[in-house]
Amino acid sequence: MTRGRRRRWSIGLGAAVGSLLAGTAVLPSSAADAADVTEATDYTVTVDPSRTGATIDDSLYGVFFEDINRAADGGLYAELVQNRSFEYTTADNKAYTPLTAWTTSGTARTTDDEGRLNARNRTYLSLGAGSSATNSGYGTGLTVRKGARYDFSVWARGDSALTVTLADADGALAAPRRVATKGGWAKYEATFTARRTSTTGHLSVATTRAAALDMVSLFPRDTYKGRPGGLRKDLAEKIAALRPGFVRFPGGCLVNTGSMEGYDETSGYQRTRAYQWKDTIGPVEQRATNANFWGYNQSYGLGYYEYFQFSEDIGAMPLPVVPALVTGCGQNRAVDDDALLKRHIQDTLDLIEFANGPVTSEWGAVRARMGHPKSFHLTHLEVGNEENLPEEFFARFKEFRAAIAAKYPDVTVISNSGPDDSGPIFDRAWKLNKDADVDMVDEHYYNSPQWFLQNNDRYDSYDRSGPKVFLGEYASGGNTFANALSEAAYMTGLERNADVVKLASYAPLLARQDTVQWRPDMIWFDDQKSWGSADYEVQKLFMRNVGDQVVPSTATNTPSTTAPITGAVGLSTWATSAAYDDVRVTAADGTSLMSDDFSGDAGRWTPSGSGDWSVQDGSYVQSDDAAENTLVTAGDPAWHDYDLHVRATKKSGKEGFLVAFGVKDTGTYYWWNLGGWNNTQSAVEQAVGGGKSTLLAKAGSIETGRAYDIDVKVRGRQVTLFLDGREWGSFKDDKPAEPFRQVVTRDKKTGDLIVKVVNAQDTRARTTVRLGGAKVAGSAAVTTLAAAPDAENTATRTPVKPVTSTFTGVADTFTYTFPENSVTFLRIKKR
């Protein structure tokens, strides 16, 4: 795609409309746009109400909740005390101790001995007489609000009098509470009412005589649905406001990393386990905490019961994910233990019984004792997540599926296709799924906005008789409105293909602003407030206006891009030290554009700021094997139609090397990633504005100490790649990033026709809409999201928010001017 602003032209009419666009006002509530449909327009949308498109399930759009970015503890789970059970360890995070988040005075020590609260809650705090322990929560302090009530509880042992205070640097936030403890372990409770608001509060427990403490807890009384020990209200309400059709939970990497053993004496109380549902139910003081894959501790206070309850509360279908005993997310190991596999399969059957079984069943009775005798109506369950070993995964998946089908034939068992949108793992996984007639396959991909604009038609060619698709994780690499626009454009293709794509969820869902492992995220928060991203606003608009049936429609297109790939060249590494030499760039006619054998300095090369680059023994060496994305660039961004040669040698580290071409800047380029993904595969990736997508991938690794000759031939938009003189692969990047996308659906209940248009460009799109004789009223309810492409919602600003209006110019054929950089839904009433 050429850079900068592209003027739009009328398709089919051949007349320039630049001057018309410059003088056209957006009049959504006026008949002006409908007055003269003979004028040239940029696009035409033609609806055919005589034909019937795909049926859209109520559950098409949902959410994926994974405990990443502190989404649970310190987030949706409303507990204010961090490390309430003193279980933090270095297994969770190298910086952790059992007293992380606590300060103590007097005599205080954490103890792991036979005097513990129970076998699964192994560490407790011993306080001497006149000692105290203070907790300030997850951020700069506990947030309390004037007049609000907070429920304190603690498990204690010993004869003592506890003084419990809620205060900040300015003094008491509530009247202190005194709790008399006596004898063995028992639970004690008290309630605070805040006298004033504070964001820097702390909770302290002081003793008069020696005492043991565990499970020190403080909850706001005002939780979602008022459930004690429940969910943070504002976050839960934002999720509920989406009206999601399903909730996928708990992972993600949480279910396919770490040990598959239990938390028991046999395993040595393993602290880096895959998420296993039985650890997360029952009384919270008996739930086994765990090391979270994303680098912190998870208390499991938000567990399977709470997940099912929340799904029910918001009217969403629960969709749990269970381990398949093949690890992923960089671990890539198949667990070869038949007894352990059978235990996990039985655990999965027990999970279905816990969700759906009668109160007379073993696990249905457990659910009933927890407070929910009725079924949670589980209908879908996923086995595994992004496994990179398709053969090993599928061998185990088939055993899970067979056992579930034998006992619960009505439950849909979902498989997956690995972590990428294409490539050898994806292809092999899909073949295994198709050959075995799997019901549904989960696809995941995080790509650039350009990829989403280019691939609206991805599912047009999928086999209608094959497995259905669950798009379980996707996002475009940022939270600006440009990202949200690209996702909205892509979602029109999901709806058009609703007969293939049955479920879809943006990911991740939540991010605590001061603890971020992954970007982008849909909903952001801190201790005081929460806000929806631009992507959230797009998801909400689509979820709340899905419709029940696709009404076939077509639209004219933007002309495709034919300009050649242009850009400089670059070298990079990722967690690897490598040496580069003999760099040559030659024009198509044989003219030398650049040559560098590093016999002198590296003055032609511009570093991006990371890595440790230097000329050593006639090579350009990046010597820091921990540094990531160490890109250095050279040459002219206007170069095109050239040959690039590089000699590269891996010196040490986890991966191989990266050779870049078509470099516009440090966020926009192509690179050949040789030995990426922990030295398991090579791929060509395209970065646009910092977001990457994979264009071509093959399995393979790079040897340490061996010199490789790398050649890249760029001709127009065709690229051919050679490794040691042999053609490795080629691609042609000529797919247009179409900025104008649309889909039309019908709401059967109201009869409304919903025309959904995405205009992801910086010019207005004056559009002829032809309704094909549909019987409609003369006005439409309009919802518009429009903002600058770089607009981003924050804690203090919301530039991306819906604006509603009424358009009174609806007719069988009418024109409507869609604003630049906008998502617009026209909801047209049936006449």
Side-chain angles (χ1 to χ4, degrees), residues 117-187:
L117 179 60
N118 59 65
R120 293 165 69 81
N121 194 337
R122 301 186 64 76
T123 306
Y124 61 95
L125 177 67
S126 295
L127 286 179
S131 302
S132 68
T134 300
N135 192 286
S136 298
Y138 290 89
T140 58
L142 305 179
T143 293
V144 299
R145 292 180 170 83
K146 182 178 179 179
R149 301 179 72 186
Y150 298 87
D151 294 325
F152 166 82
S153 65
V154 64
W155 282 80
R157 188 191 66 201
D159 299 331
S160 183
L162 307 181
T163 300
V164 187
T165 57
L166 187 58
D168 63 10
D170 294 328
L173 292 168
R177 294 289 180 259
R178 289 178 174 79
V179 176
T181 66
K182 187 173 180 63
W185 287 108
K187 185 177 182 180

Side-chain angles (χ1 to χ4, degrees), residues 1 3 12 87 187 189 216 218 279 333 361 411 483 485-486 585 677 682 719 735 788 792 796:
M1 173 179 279
R3 297 185 71 191
E87 297 295 314
K187 185 177 182 180
E189 298 175 317
V216 183
L218 187 70
D279 287 343
R333 181 174 61 90
S361 65
V411 172
N483 296 105
L485 283 170
S486 71
V585 183
W677 295 270
S682 298
V719 178
K735 198 170 188 178
E792 190 165 356
T796 56

Side-chain angles (χ1 to χ4, degrees), residues 729-779:
S730 65
F731 68 93
K732 190 172 185 179
D733 182 24
D734 62 349
K735 198 170 188 178
E738 174 58 64
F740 185 89
R741 295 292 186 184
Q742 60 80 38
V743 70
V744 180
T745 65
R746 178 179 283 111
D747 186 325
K748 288 185 177 180
K749 184 177 180 179
T750 64
D752 292 356
L753 206 61
I754 312 171
V755 179
K756 311 174 187 183
V757 174
V758 181
N759 181 29
Q761 57 190 323
D762 60 359
T763 54
R764 299 166 179 167
R766 185 171 169 84
T767 305
T768 299
V769 181
R770 304 183 187 280
L771 296 181
K775 295 180 179 179
V776 296
S779 63

Side-chain angles (χ1 to χ4, degrees), residues 479-497:
N479 279 143
T480 68
F481 192 47
N483 296 105
L485 283 170
S486 71
E487 292 153 5
Y490 193 72
M491 291 169 78
T492 65
L494 300 183
E495 291 192 7
R496 187 176 65 251
N497 290 285

